[in-house]
Amino acid sequence: MKALFTKDTVRRGVAAHSAIGLICCALLYLICVTGTAIVLYEEWQRFEQPDAPEMQAVTPSAIDTAIANVAASETGREPTTHLFVHMPTDALPRTTITTDTQAVHVDGKGAIAVPEENAWAEFLLALHYRLNLPAVWGMTLVGLFGAMIVALAVSGIVAHPRIFRDAFRLRARRRDDVATLDWHNRLAVWTLPFALAMALTGAMIGLFYISGSSLAQTAYGGDGDAALAPVFGAEPEADDTPAPLPRVAPVLRYMARDYPAVRVSYLILHDPGTRGQHIQVVGEHDRRLIFGEYYAFGADGTFHGTTGLADGTLGQQFAASIYNLHFGNYGGLPVKIAYILFGIALSAVVATGTFIWLDKQARKGRPRRTIRAGWWGVTIGVPVAIGATLIARLIWGNGAPFVAIFWIATLAITAAAVHRSRRAGARGTASATPGFAP
């Protein structure tokens, strides 16, 4: 019977299949590397803009002054729908006000000091969150990769029944693919709880748009706000009639008096400058994974209650804990250092996994020299490209084209590695790129 596809077609199909697999592994590696770097998100902001005023606390009256100053600076612009006040925290001891059109740092007296300039940290966060793609597509894709890590971890355990018994057996002195396999298995075991926690929470965060939209369409007639209300609270009725800005000092004093153990991290004015405006306080709770509890106030400072993220249903408390658990925003610097170390190990597990597959192909007489070279280009190119964007930030400032620099640098390094390998192959030599083990 005549073959359905010619040998050349099959060869091209195998090459395309391998290339797609390499792209998936590259994106997974990119997510792990950027996730490790973004653990220091607040520290990167302070590094980017060291001249911004810092303080351990700010008075309620200074916050009122700061809001009035920012509102005055927005005269002639489109009315903002939200005004966020970032209060000083241990990780980021700065007071920052963000509207729909600007973000500024204010000093301890409430005066506008300098615009917020942390574009590089925001770029890095967006690269991890959504691969610089539109939010719906990017976060969904990253969420799917989180689910992939869960599947890889579970299947890896099933495929290696002795993986826990050999957890501390390391033949790292060998200079061949056995050492690569050992490092891969050992690091995978040592980081398994971390990898599962990161993958599960990452999948939940990334798939939020799909799950939320599906729930809204099937149970709430397409109303996304109503779908989220049982977890994060409902919004009051809007009234766009102009009204004076509320004073937030009484709200902050109420929190200090009635909730002294709660540290206010954010203060949010919803629909400021309208009769429908209201105030929401985000308060951090010690020794809790939740990002905070929502405390609702009317424009006149009347307390309307909490949402229940701290003491509501288990589902609410769980949903409020996912973000901090994923990014390591609890426990201070020691936890961040642990997350960085585990993140580096997880990145190495992803990198070595592809090398192991390439080694198996070589043993079967199918060396994938081009793919191996491309993979070396990715593993080296991603961190180098991130470093290049940071250098660009230091040279050109907040307006540097970080997205373009990162992707051009990554693709250029990968292409150079592939080109070098092909040139070496044309000369009849072995692959120009070494194996993982030196």
Side-chain angles (χ1 to χ4, degrees), residues 55-291:
M55 70 271 325
Q56 294 301 313
V58 62
T59 64
S61 59
I63 295 298
D64 266 336
T65 301
I67 292 174
N69 288 335
V70 171
S73 73
E74 300 227 323
T75 302
R77 303 182 185 182
E78 284 292 322
T80 187
T81 57
H82 294 85
L83 186 148
F84 300 89
V85 181
H86 173 274
M87 304 291 283
T89 62
D90 292 336
L92 191 61
R94 297 176 174 181
T95 304
T96 308
I97 297 183
T98 305
T99 68
D100 293 347
T101 59
Q102 65 174 325
V104 295
H105 297 297
V106 299
D107 62 22
K109 295 181 179 180
I112 297 176
V114 290
E116 183 184 47
E117 295 184 344
N118 60 342
W120 185 80
E122 293 297 329
F123 150 76
L124 194 61
L125 183 64
L127 183 59
H128 176 70
Y129 243 112
R130 50 186 176 86
L131 301 174
N132 298 134
L133 296 171
V136 174
W137 298 104
M139 290 186 68
T140 300
L141 183 60
V142 171
L144 292 174
F145 276 108
M148 184 187 297
I149 293 179
V150 176
L152 288 171
V154 174
S155 61
I157 294 172
V158 173
H160 301 86
R162 295 178 50 182
I163 194 168
F164 290 107
R165 186 172 64 180
D166 294 341
F168 297 98
R169 183 186 180 194
L170 188 64
R171 294 165 289 183
R173 293 184 178 180
R174 296 186 58 158
R175 302 171 67 86
D176 54 19
D177 55 346
V178 173
T180 305
L181 181 63
D182 273 2
W183 275 114
H184 177 84
N185 289 342
R186 299 301 84 79
L187 290 174
V189 173
W190 299 339
T191 62
L192 182 60
F194 174 82
L196 289 175
M198 295 305 99
L200 286 170
T201 53
M204 292 174 186
I205 294 172
L207 297 176
F208 169 79
Y209 277 98
I210 288 183
S211 59
S213 298
S214 299
L215 179 63
Q217 292 296 331
T218 56
Y220 293 90
D223 189 341
D225 291 337
L228 296 177
V231 178
F232 297 107
E235 286 278 346
E237 286 291 330
D239 184 347
D240 294 334
T241 305
L245 285 172
R247 293 183 63 247
V248 301
V251 170
L252 294 172
R253 294 190 184 103
Y254 180 96
M255 290 295 301
R257 183 182 66 250
D258 287 51
Y259 294 94
V262 173
R263 178 162 187 174
V264 176
S265 58
Y266 267 97
L267 190 146
I268 308 169
L269 269 64
H270 296 260
D271 302 314
T274 70
R275 290 184 63 182
Q277 64 192 348
H278 55 102
I279 303 168
Q280 194 174 47
V281 169
V282 181
E284 296 179 348
H285 289 229
D286 288 338
R287 302 183 182 276
R288 296 292 303 277
L289 277 177
I290 60 172
F291 66 82

Side-chain angles (χ1 to χ4, degrees), residues 29-52:
Y29 174 74
L30 169 60
I31 292 169
C32 292
V33 171
T34 54
T36 302
I38 207 62
V39 170
L40 297 175
Y41 178 60
E42 293 86 1
E43 287 76 8
W44 288 127
Q45 292 183 65
R46 299 177 73 181
F47 174 80
E48 274 195 86
Q49 199 171 13
D51 60 336

